[in-house]
Amino acid sequence: MKTGLILTAGAVMAFCSCAKETLENTQKTDGNLVYREFGVADLSWKTSLGEDGTSLLWTEGDIINIFDETASCLGYSPFTASGWGEKTVFSGMADASAEDFYALYPYDADAVWNYSDKKITTYLEHKQNGVPGNIESLRNISVAKASADLLAFHHVTALLSFEITSSDVTAVVIKANGAEKLAGSVTVTLDGNGYPAVDESALGTSWSKVQMLPAEGGTFTPGKYYFVLLPCSLENGLTVNVTKTDGRIYSKASKKELALVSGKITQLGTADS
């Protein structure tokens, strides 16, 4: 079943077996490492929004984590993308004896891998930069399982889009009214086909409020922007706070339940109206 990014209808708002303290010493750098390449099985699973605002594109310099049954908690040094567009290939060094490969985007030097439970722990920042019409680079978390040296990526995070119509907005903050987790530490379990599920029982840093600032400082350019958030159901809705150049904060709230779904874009509407 293909579950790529889907624009949701309507607008809303109108652990690893290694001990943590030893992780810095567990990256796989010794042994019989050989050069490996992994193609991308489905080019719709990418990292930067295309001109249509829904499809995603791999971009130059994208790097990923590669894990396997031989790698220690932190996996290998980054695998780097080349040939973006019609054909994307990630290459790097891996153990010659490894056969079962998994991937994480974006690359996280502190990501924790538990092969026995097929779990990856990584982190989503609660302070994000707004890029007009696009996702902030190195933000949209995806995972993959390799089959015949092809990586089939699936998104973990959800996107929440909103519009800025004025030129005097300096910050946008969203808050989950029910204190649901929107960002922070996230542990993802992969099934036999590489599809992810967030382990909600896993402990870690939790943020129910996420801030976005203009990527280039100053004020937002009018247009569409995207929060990258952890999937959850906001049973009591959310609150949006918009800060303008005069220092005033304009707030509006909705108690309507809102579902943030992995791999989907939910429309928030106009934030500064």
Side-chain angles (χ1 to χ4, degrees):
M1 178 178 68
K2 185 173 180 180
T3 55
L5 278 176
I6 302 171
L7 192 63
T8 57
V12 178
M13 202 63 105
F15 273 161
C16 179
S17 58
C18 301
K20 181 67 176 178
E21 58 269 21
T22 64
L23 290 181
E24 65 270 20
N25 298 318
T26 60
Q27 191 164 39
K28 185 76 172 181
T29 56
D30 57 357
N32 186 21
L33 299 184
V34 295
Y35 178 81
R36 294 295 299 258
E37 287 188 349
F38 295 95
V40 179
D42 185 345
L43 290 179
S44 70
W45 296 101
K46 307 171 187 178
T47 60
S48 178
L49 284 174
E51 292 182 358
D52 60 5
T54 58
S55 63
L56 290 167
L57 308 171
W58 288 109
T59 58
E60 181 177 358
D62 280 337
I63 57 176
I64 60 174
N65 294 77
I66 289 290
F67 307 101
D68 60 38
E69 76 275 22
T70 74
S72 50
C73 289
L74 296 186
Y76 296 105
S77 297
F79 274 57
T80 305
S82 61
W84 41 93
E86 292 299 321
K87 182 180 180 181
T88 299
V89 174
F90 286 95
S91 59
M93 304 296 289
D95 196 301
S97 64
E99 297 180 351
D100 199 14
F101 293 95
Y102 300 82
L104 167 68
Y105 176 88
Y107 178 81
D108 180 0
D110 297 318
V112 177
W113 169 237
N114 182 336
Y115 178 74
S116 62
D117 294 331
K118 306 298 185 296
K119 288 186 176 182
I120 300 172
T121 299
T122 186
Y123 193 86
L124 177 64
E125 291 288 345
H126 69 290
K127 293 184 177 181
Q128 302 182 8
N129 295 315
V131 180
N134 215 324
I135 308 168
E136 182 184 6
S137 178
L138 306 181
R139 187 69 67 198
N140 198 20
I141 299 173
S142 304
V143 295
K145 174 180 171 59
S147 176
D149 288 337
L150 290 176
L151 295 169
F153 280 92
H154 304 288
H155 293 300
V156 174
T157 43
L159 301 184
L160 182 66
S161 72
F162 64 94
E163 295 275 352
I164 294 290
T165 59
S166 56
S167 58
D168 61 347
V169 176
T170 60
V172 178
V173 174
I174 58 171
K175 181 180 69 173
N177 294 336
E180 292 89 352
K181 187 173 182 177
L182 299 179
S185 177
V186 56
T187 296
V188 180
T189 302
L190 288 81
D191 68 14
N193 295 313
Y195 284 90
V198 173
D199 182 355
E200 296 183 359
S201 67
L203 300 177
T205 304
S206 177
W207 297 96
S208 60
K209 183 186 295 185
V210 179
Q211 178 192 61
M212 182 178 289
L213 300 176
E216 297 182 358
T219 60
F220 285 92
T221 301
K224 180 173 285 189
Y225 293 85
Y226 298 85
F227 279 105
V228 180
L229 305 171
L230 296 179
C232 64
S233 178
L234 303 175
E235 295 184 359
N236 298 310
L238 55 75
T239 297
V240 181
N241 293 321
V242 175
T243 303
K244 297 201 172 186
T245 52
D246 60 6
R248 295 183 179 183
I249 298 176
Y250 298 82
S251 180
K252 59 181 180 179
S254 171
K255 293 185 178 181
K256 184 177 180 180
E257 184 175 358
L258 175 65
L260 301 175
V261 181
S262 298
K264 292 188 177 182
I265 302 172
T266 297
Q267 301 254 20
L268 182 62
T270 302
D272 60 332
S273 62

